[in-house]
């Protein structure tokens, strides 16, 4: 039902996700500047993503954060239905797939990245996501899109996907990129089109937030 990729690039964190269900990024993508990123998927409980980031903020250890969230007494009755990934400021990503994870599921980890999915066409899909991330050039957002495209080309989910999204946090204090396609027959390609529109303007919008007096104009009538 969902496949995702969480990455670290210098001080930035990014996540890309796609699913057969609507609005997947609204539920599954969790990022916090200077702390890390996490995905909460498979019969999703979004509070688990927040919990992972809270634990990361407390001590910075992704493996420990995952163990604390999956082992919490309050999650005992439902954690078997969840699939989680988490990545901190250093080291590899970590993944958890409960025994009730749907369909063919798998995960793959590396230094600075983690991928996972459920109801997949094959267990190779997370490896495709990681391999593409590490071998593709360009902006972080472009590399995330390339990974989603490669995963789809390799089989993707068991059925068609209908939503996709990606988000990036840096040192600005907010998501410097936050793009979603909540329902479409070709969500990854539509997401790629949004990235093409957004990237040339991304840094200008950061400057408008941090230093509006020196930021470039919007280039619309009446704009100074």
């Amino acid at each position: 039902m969902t496949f995702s990729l969480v990455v670290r690039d210098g001080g930035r964190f990014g996540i890309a996700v796609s699913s057969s269900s609507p609005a997947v990024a609204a539920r599954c993508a969790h990022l916090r500047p200077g702390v890390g990123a996490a995905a909460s998927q498979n019969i999703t409980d979004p509070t688990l993503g927040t919990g992972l980031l809270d634990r990361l903020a407390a001590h910075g250890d992704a493996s420990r954060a995952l163990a604390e969230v999956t082992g919490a007494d309050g999650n005992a009755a439902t954690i078997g239905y969840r699939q989680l990934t988490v990545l901190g400021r250093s080291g590899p990503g970590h993944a958890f797939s409960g025994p009730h994870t749907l369909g063919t599921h798998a995960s793959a980890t590396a230094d600075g990245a983690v991928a996972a999915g459920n109801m997949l066409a094959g267990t190779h899909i997370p490896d495709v996501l990681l391999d593409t991330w590490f071998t593709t050039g360009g902006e972080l957002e472009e590399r995330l899109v390339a990974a989603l495209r490669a995963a789809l080309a390799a089989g993707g989910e068991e059925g068609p996907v209908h939503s996709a999204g990606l988000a990036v946090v840096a040192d600005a204090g907010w998501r410097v990129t936050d793009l979603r396609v909540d329902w479409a027959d070709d969500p990854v390609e539509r997401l790629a089109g949004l990235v093409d529109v957004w990237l040339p303007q991304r840094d200008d919008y950061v400057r408008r937030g941090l230093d509006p007096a020196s930021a470039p104009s919007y280039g619309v009538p009446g704009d100074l």
Side-chain angles (χ1 to χ4, degrees):
M1 192 156 67
T2 302
F3 54 89
S4 65
L5 171 65
V6 178
V7 300
R8 183 180 63 240
D9 183 43
R12 300 180 296 171
F13 294 94
I15 183 168
V17 59
S18 186
S19 178
S20 57
S21 62
V24 64
R27 300 183 305 279
C28 297
H30 307 272
L31 307 96
R32 194 171 299 174
V35 174
S40 170
Q41 56 199 48
N42 190 79
I43 315 177
T44 311
D45 176 2
T47 66
L48 298 177
T50 302
L52 287 167
L53 295 180
D54 288 345
R55 301 316 305 152
L56 267 183
H59 51 65
D61 185 327
S63 177
R64 179 179 166 189
L66 188 62
E68 290 169 343
V69 169
T70 57
D73 289 343
N75 297 327
T78 58
I79 198 65
Y81 295 88
R82 317 304 187 186
Q83 188 175 51
L84 306 172
T85 63
V86 60
L87 179 66
R89 292 186 296 269
S90 63
H94 296 269
F96 168 84
S97 296
H100 300 298
T101 302
L102 297 169
T104 298
H105 58 274
S107 61
T109 64
D111 186 33
V114 55
N118 53 80
M119 291 188 69
L120 297 172
T123 58
H124 62 293
I125 298 300
D127 290 314
V128 171
L129 288 162
L130 286 190
D131 290 344
T132 306
W133 162 254
F134 284 114
T135 58
T136 300
E139 293 276 2
L140 191 158
E141 291 88 345
E142 293 171 323
R143 295 168 67 191
L144 288 172
V145 168
L148 290 182
R149 281 172 158 165
L152 278 181
E157 290 192 27
E158 292 180 359
V161 296
H162 290 295
S163 68
L166 67 81
V168 174
V169 294
D171 57 359
W174 64 83
R175 295 185 179 195
V176 298
T177 295
D178 192 359
L179 304 174
R180 288 168 39 187
V181 177
D182 286 341
W183 188 259
D185 290 333
D186 56 348
V188 172
E189 289 309 308
R190 293 197 179 200
L191 183 65
L194 292 176
V195 169
D196 289 342
V197 171
W198 174 246
L199 277 182
Q201 306 177 68
R202 179 196 61 196
D203 294 345
D204 290 341
Y205 278 97
V206 172
R207 287 179 59 193
R208 289 180 181 112
L210 297 177
D211 187 10
S214 68
S217 69
Y218 286 89
V220 297
D223 182 28
L224 299 176

